[in-house]
């Protein structure tokens, strides 16, 4: 079983940047999709970004061009670089991984929360105006 631990959340001003990290322990997540989701107060959890085991990346329209997901397979980790942050980005951010997948996966699979069977505890990101 994989365990995921996020770090890097905090408070920044609008226009600033943050880097979130997610380290997997236990069974490897190298052969799985890793994704980032977020949940703002009073809203449902939503997809932010995901990367397949071969490096294909997927982003929500709201973060495309501002956020970048990357993976370090040596460290069994994933990173979310967030730039040009605005108050609408304030949320608890969750790292998640899927079961072992094929090399090629669809966007629908990556963006669907039900595809993921392991979740981190979340890290809070707050953007001040």
């Amino acid at each position: 079983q994989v365990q995921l631990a996020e770090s890097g959340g905090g408070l920044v001003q609008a226009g600033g940047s943050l880097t979130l990290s997610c380290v997997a322990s236990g069974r490897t997540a190298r052969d799985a999709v890793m994704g980032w989701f977020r949940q703002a107060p009073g809203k449902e959890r939503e997809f932010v970004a995901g990367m397949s085991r071969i490096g294909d990346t997927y982003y929500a329209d709201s973060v495309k061009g501002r956020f970048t997901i990357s993976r370090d397979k040596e460290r069994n980790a994933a990173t979310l670089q967030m730039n040009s942050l605005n108050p609408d980005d304030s949320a608890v951010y969750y790292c998640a991984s899927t079961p072992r997948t094929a090399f090629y996966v669809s966007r629908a699979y990556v963006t669907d929360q039900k595809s993921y069977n392991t979740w981190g505890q979340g890290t809070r990101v707050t953007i001040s105006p």
Side-chain angles (χ1 to χ4, degrees), residues 24-90:
S25 60
R27 192 186 68 80
T28 181
R30 296 181 180 89
D31 55 1
V33 172
M34 293 191 76
W36 288 93
F37 292 78
R38 67 186 181 186
Q39 186 168 22
K43 295 187 177 182
E44 294 187 353
R45 189 163 57 186
E46 63 177 2
F47 170 78
V48 175
M51 180 178 275
S52 73
R53 59 183 292 189
I54 60 169
D56 292 334
T57 56
Y58 305 83
Y59 296 96
D61 288 343
S62 59
V63 307
K64 200 173 297 183
R66 301 187 298 122
F67 291 12
T68 303
I69 186 172
S70 60
R71 293 179 69 163
D72 181 344
K73 290 196 172 182
E74 291 296 322
R75 293 180 57 245
N76 210 18
T79 298
L80 185 67
Q81 175 66 43
M82 306 186 296
N83 299 325
S84 302
L85 288 162
N86 62 66
D88 289 340
D89 296 315
S90 297

